[in-house]
Amino acid sequence: MEKRIIITGYGVVAKEFCKLLLSHSQSIKSMYGFYPKVTGIIGRKGMLYEAEGISLDELTSYGIGSDALTHYAEEKNIFLIPPKWNGDVLVECTPTNIETGEPGLSYMLNAIEAGMAIVSASKGAFVHSFKRIKEAARKKGVSMKFSGATAAALPTMDIGGYSLAGATITRIEGILNGTTNFILTTMTENNLSFDEALKIAQLKGIAERNPSLDVKGYDSACKILLLTNGLFETSFSLNDVQIEGIEHITKEKINEAQEKNERIKLLASVILKNEHLSLEVRPRTIQPSNPLYYVNGTNKGIVFETEEMDTICVTGGASHPRGAAAAVLKDVINLYRREL
Amino acid sequence: MEKRIIITGYGVVAKEFCKLLLSHSQSIKSMYGFYPKVTGIIGRKGMLYEAEGISLDELTSYGIGSDALTHYAEEKNIFLIPPKWNGDVLVECTPTNIETGEPGLSYMLNAIEAGMAIVSASKGAFVHSFKRIKEAARKKGVSMKFSGATAAALPTMDIGGYSLAGATITRIEGILNGTTNFILTTMTENNLSFDEALKIAQLKGIAERNPSLDVKGYDSACKILLLTNGLFETSFSLNDVQIEGIEHITKEKINEAQEKNERIKLLASVILKNEHLSLEVRPRTIQPSNPLYYVNGTNKGIVFETEEMDTICVTGGASHPRGAAAAVLKDVINLYRREL
């Protein structure tokens, strides 16, 4: 059995995904009972389409972005075409835009309308229009997964939705953003101010030049929002998350915590109380009894408190594009695997 | 849609499972699209069978074991009958016997032959005859799951099989036995000998009167064996696991580790090297950089190293019967859930 994949956006994650397919497709077929085949990739200049499957070997030798798609088309003597939605699953890898959700939102709605399943590495469309996408998918009876948009290689949706199936989750609390955790760790370990630590993070390529989405807590907020909506079948929006970033954390505050053997972490959380869920992101002081105390540097981690299984904590997971691509691949496999 | 469950063995885990179904069945139906119904429970004296579903409310008011089944039958004016296998899924909860695998082994083979899926909380049959059960299941095209037999509420099989689907696992290393971890922690924190710490564990009901399965490493070995066979599609037996327990760990060794800021943990591991897997259980000295360093007391934890997603560590999960029952329920849900 073949499953036809259409990818939207051909950035670093999409390219790593293609490289993973190149090396893993045969073993996926033998282990999980289906062969994943990329038949289309949609970029800004149009769609690269080959019904028999794009040669990933060739494509991945050409860099990223629309230029790579154009280069491939020229080599093969074919034209980029307007998008069409005749695959089994859409793998959405366009850049996250939480203001408009685009272009991912339109891509997803088109693909769902055509009966395709959705696997997304991108947060924008879900943050902007979770309810709309969910309802469209439900109406069409198609599945959607978004591990890549909720801390990627750290299995957050999997634990909450699969490993804790049937259990009552009463609280989720996580360090979901590697950049802010790196900054806080660097402030702690080297006795630096926020600005000094941020500069180091930028020099190392960990923080972006405009770091506000990370340091103001929005990236963490998007992730806890998607997790909550995905796991609790809710339709919260970003406005429902109380958000406080780390930009006002001072050296003094860090020192004060250290003296008490505590650490300051940017925690994203959702708490169930009296059948009401509250979502927040804010810097919190935690003690060594909290397993997230030991999650340092760019690492991430998440704790699930449940009524039936007590507390489960997961930490780690690569934060590089290959890790995100592997999370996407996992979602694709879990959509179609033959279960035995 | 209803799914008929037949339970074998009615000990504490089976009873907790029935109690969970009692409180959760309606929400399972609305969330996952099927209604789990217990139609039969097999004990030493025969099978309690009610085609319309056993009244779990009544049954769970009667204690455990065959006496409870008999009591229920008498109240309802029905007879216990010889086992029959006309359900959708077998939930295997008989006591673990790794010498013979029985009675679970025969129960499972009968159920598979009748086309039933298998969810097991018991290790014995799988440790004794993994290959035979697997082949029988494959031949009949039925699914089998055994989270309850591989550290229960700590999601080991889920992480390895679901969250890391498609990734290459190169090493698994875990603290899979709460009793030995409690003993080692107690020796460390209170400067006690093995015998002294064992006695405390026994007084607290953490270690059994005959603790040898735990302290000699066999329980850990069974779990890493099942994990390996389940995740790597192998057919190793207990003889393939190099096993060393903690019974020879001295106070001096513990102190020596502590002086170097290290800790001794009983680690069960499987390592992939040159396409060859090696399994072992032995006490190992680990450093603070290892996330298992912080897993103390009766807690458990496991680390997966992969090529694509780096390292994932999971810790926690209740070790009480309700936690094991919740792990069984999760497996049942994941067999039948309607995926959207």
Side-chain angles (χ1 to χ4, degrees), chain A residues 241-257:
Chain A
V241 191
Q242 297 253 17
I243 308 174
E244 186 189 324
I246 63 161
E247 67 274 35
H248 303 305
I249 301 288
T250 58
K251 235 195 237 193
E252 291 67 39
K253 270 204 161 152
I254 298 264
N255 288 339
E256 208 180 291

Side-chain angles (χ1 to χ4, degrees), chain A residues 116-129:
Chain A
M116 292 174 68
I118 304 291
V119 169
S120 182
S122 173
K123 286 183 281 292
F126 283 118
V127 170
H128 186 272
S129 297

Side-chain angles (χ1 to χ4, degrees), chain B residues 61-330:
Chain B
S61 68
Y62 296 149
I64 59 167
S66 276
D67 289 349
L69 303 183
T70 309
H71 188 161
Y72 180 97
E74 281 167 0
E75 291 287 332
K76 290 264 176 166
N77 221 354
I78 57 178
F79 292 99
L80 296 187
I81 60 171
K84 57 180 183 177
W85 309 98
N86 58 346
D88 295 297
V89 54
L90 171 71
V91 167
E92 218 293 284
C93 297
T94 62
T96 286
N97 178 334
I98 62 175
E99 306 289 323
T100 66
E102 296 295 355
L105 179 56
S106 301
Y107 287 156
M108 283 197 214
L109 292 174
N110 284 330
I112 290 169
E113 189 57 32
M116 292 175 67
I118 304 291
V119 169
S120 183
S122 174
K123 287 183 281 291
F126 284 119
V127 170
H128 186 272
S129 295
F130 189 87
K131 194 174 176 186
R132 188 168 164 206
I133 301 167
K134 177 93 183 180
E135 277 171 6
R138 190 163 275 172
K139 205 168 128 206
K140 278 284 179 176
V142 302
S143 303
M144 61 190 215
K145 287 189 172 282
F146 43 86
S147 291
T150 48
L154 179 76
T156 55
M157 280 297 294
D158 289 348
I159 298 284
Y162 192 85
S163 300
L164 298 177
T168 314
I169 299 171
T170 51
R171 183 194 191 97
I172 304 175
E173 182 172 273
I175 296 172
L176 300 181
N177 180 275
T179 304
T180 43
N181 203 38
F182 176 85
I183 292 171
L184 291 173
T185 303
T186 305
M187 290 175 73
T188 305
E189 291 178 355
N190 304 309
N191 192 27
L192 297 178
S193 72
F194 171 78
D195 288 326
E196 290 164 333
L198 171 61
K199 211 160 279 166
I200 292 174
Q202 284 171 322
L203 283 171
K204 286 183 179 260
I206 292 166
E208 293 179 47
R209 206 171 300 173
N210 177 355
S212 64
L213 271 185
D214 288 324
V215 302
K216 289 187 176 170
Y218 284 98
D219 178 73
S220 301
C222 290
K223 287 172 183 160
I224 197 73
L225 173 68
L226 294 191
L227 260 177
T228 303
N229 284 343
L231 295 176
F232 295 92
E233 312 242 336
T234 50
S235 305
F236 289 110
S237 75
L238 207 49
N239 291 330
D240 299 311
V241 190
Q242 297 254 17
I243 309 174
E244 187 189 325
I246 63 162
E247 67 273 37
H248 303 304
I249 301 289
T250 58
K251 237 197 243 195
E252 291 66 39
K253 272 207 162 149
I254 297 266
N255 289 340
E256 207 178 293
Q258 267 190 305
E259 275 162 28
K260 288 186 274 185
N261 200 24
E262 295 173 337
R263 284 180 187 159
I264 296 177
K265 296 288 181 188
L266 183 65
L267 297 188
S269 60
V270 52
I271 300 166
L272 175 70
K273 207 171 175 178
N274 305 328
E275 303 191 17
H276 173 83
L277 291 167
S278 55
L279 292 87
E280 66 168 38
V281 173
R282 66 181 174 90
R284 294 239 313 275
T285 306
I286 61 175
Q287 301 178 324
S289 58
N290 187 327
L292 298 176
Y293 182 92
Y294 307 100
V295 176
N296 295 311
T298 57
N299 283 319
K300 300 193 277 279
I302 190 163
V303 171
F304 293 83
E305 289 176 16
T306 73
E307 278 176 12
E308 297 81 357
M309 301 206 213
D310 292 358
T311 297
I312 308 266
C313 172
V314 202
T315 59
S319 54
H320 48 58
R322 185 170 159 88
V328 169
L329 180 57
K330 161 189 76 177

Side-chain angles (χ1 to χ4, degrees), chain A residues 94-109:
Chain A
T94 61
T96 286
N97 178 335
I98 62 176
E99 306 289 323
T100 65
E102 297 294 358
L105 178 56
S106 300
Y107 287 157
M108 283 197 211
L109 293 173

